[in-house]
Amino acid sequence: KSAVFSGSVLVEGNATFGIDDTGVDVRIFSATTNEGVLYDASEDELALLLTTKLKFHDVGGGEEIFASADGHLEVNAGTTLDITAPTVDINASTAVTVDGPAVTIADSADGKPVLTLKTTHTTKTSSSELQFLKDAADTEDGEVLGQITFYGEDEGNNNTQFAGIAAEIAESDDGAEGGKLTFRVATHDGELQSGLTLQDGDA
């Protein structure tokens, strides 16, 4: 059986759709063609169709989950997206990309945090890799490609760099490329000085 209601319907009390172990489809239409909500009983799935958004806190706000395109799911928050769990497992067959100015991993336990690059592939010619890639339109001689810096608080509680490693382009000409690797330490007054430099030679 079916029923059509025009206008508002007020239900005071519980509302049940379908019969247990049988089920019934429930469709809520949108003002946009083919969008809206569908509960498909045969698939046991609640679907937000096409680009219909699941909103949190308020309608029109920035806290939402939705599919912006087929195969593309977005989770958005206006200020903070907070994920809390003993273990967070991300599985990506191609890549994990983070677009942002900083990534911080923090822990208060002794000897933590630990960043591990793990490979289970056995080969003599390759391994895990920590790569610094400067993909600029045009690099030039003397340009810094990447740095590893070591910071700690001094006795005045100032966050101070005590050591660092820097990689640079010494010569960028095609066919004559040369690099430069510099190890630096803070020298008595906190000023960083080069202690060891690996420098490109010549032909």
Side-chain angles (χ1 to χ4, degrees):
K1 297 180 180 181
S2 61
V4 177
F5 300 95
S6 297
S8 299
V9 177
L10 175 63
V11 178
E12 294 185 353
N14 298 329
T16 301
F17 300 89
I19 302 171
D20 189 24
D21 200 31
T22 300
V24 63
D25 292 351
V26 178
R27 180 71 162 92
I28 302 175
F29 288 95
S30 169
T32 304
T33 303
N34 296 327
E35 293 202 351
V37 179
L38 168 65
Y39 176 73
D40 190 322
S42 64
E43 297 293 335
D44 291 328
E45 293 180 350
L46 178 64
L48 304 181
L49 302 178
L50 299 181
T51 61
T52 301
K53 298 178 179 180
L54 177 62
K55 306 290 287 192
F56 300 88
H57 196 272
D58 59 345
V59 174
E63 291 66 53
E64 60 195 14
I65 302 174
F66 74 106
S68 58
D70 187 12
H72 189 146
L73 182 66
E74 295 190 22
V75 181
N76 298 321
T79 55
T80 302
L81 179 62
D82 194 349
I83 302 174
T84 302
T87 300
V88 177
D89 191 358
I90 301 174
N91 297 298
S93 60
T94 304
V96 175
T97 301
V98 179
D99 292 325
V103 176
T104 301
I105 303 174
D107 194 90
S108 60
D110 184 27
K112 304 295 182 180
V114 175
L115 177 62
T116 302
L117 302 179
K118 177 182 178 180
T119 180
T120 57
H121 181 68
T122 300
T123 179
K124 294 182 178 180
T125 59
S126 66
S127 66
S128 299
E129 179 180 348
L130 180 61
Q131 183 182 105
F132 293 82
L133 172 61
K134 192 164 193 177
D135 192 15
D138 184 25
T139 54
E140 58 187 24
D141 296 354
E143 188 157 347
V144 177
L145 297 176
Q147 297 188 68
I148 301 175
T149 57
F150 302 87
Y151 279 80
E153 286 191 351
D154 61 15
E155 287 295 331
N157 295 325
N158 302 303
N159 199 12
T160 303
Q161 183 179 348
F162 285 88
I165 304 171
E168 305 172 47
I169 296 176
E171 177 55 65
S172 62
D173 288 347
D174 187 13
E177 297 90 340
K180 180 181 179 181
L181 188 64
T182 305
F183 293 77
R184 301 186 178 99
V185 294
T187 56
H188 186 64
D189 58 357
E191 183 182 12
L192 287 175
Q193 296 289 347
S194 299
L196 174 63
T197 301
L198 306 179
Q199 176 70 49
D200 170 45
D202 54 33

